Amino acid sequence: MGRRVHSSVAVAVAATSVVSVIAAVPARPVQAATLTWGACPTGVSTELQCANLTLPLNYRDPAGGTVTIKISRLASADPTKRRGVLLVNPGGPGNSGLGQPITIKNRPAPRSLLEAYDIIGFDPRGVGWSSPVRCGLQNINSTVAPYALTTQDVVTQSGVADAMADTCAGSAVSPLLPHITTANTARDMDQIRAALGETRISYYGVSYGSALGAAYASMFPGRTDRILLDSIVGDTYMGRDAWRSFGQGVEDRFPDFARHAAANHATYSIGSTPEQVRANFFTLARRLDVSPLGDVNGIVFRRRMFSALYRDSAFPGFARLWQTLANGQVPAPTTPTTADNYVSAQLAITCGDSAWPRDVATYQADVEEDRIDFPLFGPAAANIYPCAHWSVPPVELPAQVTATGPVNIMLLQNARDPATPLNNALKLRRKFGARARLITADQGGHGVFHFTNNACANDHGLGFLVNGTLPDSDRLCPAE
């Protein structure tokens, strides 16, 4: 991973060289399936229709087992204006996408978008209603590692990560795990396309969904219509560099929160200037490292900060928590939760997509380096992950981004994103070359298209999906 680069939202992006998809063994063709639409599972909107697809577990051995992929459909609001289908993915990896069409509709989506497409949601393989994988992980709802205070903390976390990897390796779903990958999900998407009777598909994906969309656009460039990628991971998978980039993202984004807190000093009393807010954050975090208040220690406090940076709307809640802790008061306890399917699928995808370093010393060195470069969250983002102990190496290399193909990709990116920093978007933009355009919004947070009120960015995204409008060059949308 390159060291810290202070991003400029006006960076010019040059075309990149042509690369092609790399796979260990070519996938064999699969005969297109047919769909039978009916009611969706309980808890999924009754406005949607759902169907199942039975697809190969391993595309290199189509007769060697299957997975069931559950898909949903929000039919075009006006079939006379229907352009085609828009597949959508909300990110993760590990998030269910079955209800995503209704989430988009209720955001609310402009009627022109709802008329232009049948919006197709789906649970990726291993997730939700699509042959879910559950390792049996208890009391775990996140794979983000704890903030390492010392190199010994990395050793301790290595033991935790090793135990998680062992639990998955010894679980009943272990034979499925090597095939729960981004590349295979992209192949599933192409089977969804074929089953829908479409020669090409459009796609909208957020966060990890940008990596999935980049994989599809690289593996099947001739079958793409309009590809909108939002909050960019930077490649076709979420590898170690993507997780480690959280450190950069938090440094980019935290000043937005600090300005909010300083402007509301009379309410929060956690700092009268942005600089004072930042200094007070470190002071309180160190205090909580030694003396937790209730179930909030320094690790939890930093994680709460990271989560709050996703949306401006979360700033007041985190500021009030900070105020409570700074006053020495014990905050209301949180109820421990387990998200076994989410975490198990996320591990399968992340560890199955790419190989991670296996020696603890590498993570110790990275933690100490990022403690200097990205002190707010770097020692968490660089800490060791269960992929370092994963029992089965990836069965194929990730898809490589290709600059060969139609000019039909739009990248939407906030300038200050805590989880997918602008540097990642610039990286993917260079790889796609002339195929893509980058629209950068001068704002913070995770998610651009109708996640914020930036009319410029939203208009670019909508104009592209509905009318195919792609600007001649990259654009910067000013803050609103």
Side-chain angles (χ1 to χ4, degrees), residues 275-296:
E275 295 76 16
Q276 193 175 76
V277 172
R278 182 181 174 93
N280 289 345
F281 176 85
F282 288 114
T283 298
L284 179 56
R286 287 192 293 266
R287 195 171 88 197
L288 293 168
D289 288 332
V290 177
S291 302
L293 287 168
D295 59 4
V296 179

Side-chain angles (χ1 to χ4, degrees), residues 170-196:
S171 70
V173 299
S174 62
L176 280 65
L177 298 180
H179 307 290
I180 309 299
T181 64
T182 299
N184 277 336
T185 298
R187 294 177 180 118
D188 294 342
M189 287 169 56
D190 201 53
Q191 292 302 308
I192 294 172
R193 174 201 60 78
L196 291 169

